[in-house]
């Protein structure tokens, strides 16, 4: 008898509002919160819902479980057109940067590859000191192409070269010095730090928050609009290469083993 396939949860991205803060939670543990078509579609909907809600002043983006986001869903690479997947990640970054409300991302565990694009697109990032980050694309014959739109402007040049070329893992504490995140705290203090920050944000007036974010986001939006399609093409070319396909198949087989 054939194995019964695991059923995906009906909802991969949860949404709730309290005290004028919309909290969006990634909850797709079966694939380590990878950026699957379903997760991205739900995330777009939740972000738009928060943007349109006049009672919401800011957005908190976080995850359940030990992994914030593992990046692209490699298991879908064979069934999703290369350009479509890459363009979705560009649009996701642009949506976060262009949202009219501040986006606070909270990283309690691991963030990899495309997940770091979400981190970099956010306005403020709080992380546990022992959370881990890595740009692992180079190990699969790829490059951090579309996420470079937001990641490279955040990182110092030396930090970008070290992590993008070496694929090295770095901690939340190190990520502060590298420019990727705003603040790192001990893991058991993370929820308190998030609550304190949200309390501070909600002292701002809606117009003040909106227009200040517009100023802060202008250069990054211009970069995304100017180079997005070029980097979608680069990403698609690399994902479609024989070298990358072989590396991704080997990676997926190791995960199954």
């Amino acid at each position: 008898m054939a194995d019964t396939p695991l059923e995906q949860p009906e909802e991969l991205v949860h949404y709730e509002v309290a005290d004028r803060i919309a909290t969006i939670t990634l909850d797709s543990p079966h694939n380590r919160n990878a950026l699957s078509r379903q997760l991205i579609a739900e995330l777009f909907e939740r972000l738009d819902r928060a943007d349109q809600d006049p009672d919401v002043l800011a957005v908190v983006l976080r995850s359940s479980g030990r992994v914030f986001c593992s990046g692209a869903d490699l298991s879908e690479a064979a069934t999703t057109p290369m350009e479509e997947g890459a363009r979705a990640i560009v649009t996701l970054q642009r949506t976060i940067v262009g949202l009219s409300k501040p986006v606070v991302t909270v990283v309690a565990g691991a963030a990899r590859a495309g997940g770091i694009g979400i981190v970099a697109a956010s306005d403020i990032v709080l992380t546990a000191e022992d959370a881990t980050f890595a740009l692992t694309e180079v190990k699969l014959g790829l490059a951090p192409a579309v996420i470079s739109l937001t990641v490279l402007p955040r990182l110092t040049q030396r930090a970008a070269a070290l992590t993008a070329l070496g694929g090295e893992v770095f901690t939340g504490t190190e990520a502060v010095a590298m420019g990727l995140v705003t603040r790192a705290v001990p893991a058991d203090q993370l929820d308190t730090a998030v609550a304190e920050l949200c309390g501070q944000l909600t002292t701002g007036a809606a117009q003040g928050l909106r227009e200040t974010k517009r100023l802060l986001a202008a250069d990054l939006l211009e970069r995304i609009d100017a180079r997005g399609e070029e980097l979608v093409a680069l990403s698609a070319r690399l994902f479609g290469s024989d070298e990358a396909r072989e590396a991704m198949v080997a990676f997926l087989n190791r995960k199954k083993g």
Side-chain angles (χ1 to χ4, degrees):
M1 181 181 295
D3 292 337
T4 301
L6 294 174
E7 291 186 4
Q8 288 193 4
E10 290 185 6
E11 180 181 80
L12 301 183
V13 183
H14 308 309
Y15 182 89
E16 62 180 344
V17 177
D19 301 322
R20 307 204 72 182
I21 300 292
T23 298
I24 298 172
T25 304
L26 309 182
D27 186 18
S28 182
H30 70 282
N31 64 0
R32 303 171 75 235
N33 287 324
L35 297 172
S36 64
R37 289 188 296 269
Q38 181 183 347
L39 185 139
I40 287 179
E42 292 183 15
L43 184 50
F44 278 137
E45 192 279 333
R46 310 307 186 253
L47 288 167
D48 183 65
R49 191 189 308 182
D51 208 31
Q52 300 301 321
D53 188 341
D55 292 329
V56 168
L57 288 177
V59 177
V60 169
L61 179 57
R62 62 191 315 159
S63 68
S64 65
R66 299 175 56 188
V67 177
F68 171 70
C69 178
S70 58
D73 189 339
L74 299 183
S75 67
E76 292 186 350
T79 58
T80 301
M82 303 300 176
E83 291 85 355
E84 179 183 317
R87 191 171 290 111
I89 295 177
V90 171
T91 305
L92 177 58
Q93 292 174 99
R94 195 191 191 288
T95 298
I96 294 170
V97 175
L99 211 73
S100 66
K101 296 160 186 181
V103 176
V104 178
T105 287
V106 181
V107 182
R112 297 289 185 269
I116 296 183
I118 294 176
V119 170
S122 305
D123 300 289
I124 301 171
V125 183
L126 299 182
T127 182
E129 291 173 343
D130 60 356
T132 62
F133 301 80
L135 295 172
T136 52
E137 290 87 347
V138 68
K139 299 180 184 298
L140 296 175
L142 305 170
V146 293
I147 66 169
S148 72
L149 292 164
T150 56
V151 173
L152 293 187
R154 302 295 192 196
L155 291 172
T156 67
Q157 289 185 340
R158 291 302 187 191
L162 179 63
T163 185
L165 293 172
E168 294 199 3
V169 175
F170 54 99
T171 66
T173 300
E174 292 170 322
V176 176
M178 295 166 76
L180 181 65
V181 308
T182 309
R183 184 183 174 202
V185 299
D188 61 358
Q189 297 177 24
L190 186 57
D191 287 342
T192 298
V194 173
E196 290 174 350
L197 175 60
C198 289
Q200 183 63 32
L201 287 173
T202 54
T203 65
Q207 177 174 276
L209 291 169
R210 181 180 65 250
E211 295 304 323
T212 300
K213 167 149 187 182
R214 191 192 305 273
L215 289 173
L216 293 169
D219 289 347
L220 209 48
L221 286 175
E222 184 176 343
R223 173 181 171 84
I224 293 170
D225 290 342
R227 300 201 60 196
E229 281 302 308
E230 165 197 345
L231 292 169
V232 164
L234 172 60
S235 180
R237 177 171 64 79
L238 294 176
F239 265 96
S241 68
D242 291 340
E243 181 179 342
R245 286 185 178 278
E246 290 172 6
M248 285 187 283
V249 168
F251 174 77
L252 290 170
N253 287 337
R254 285 197 302 272
K255 285 179 64 179
K256 294 175 182 177

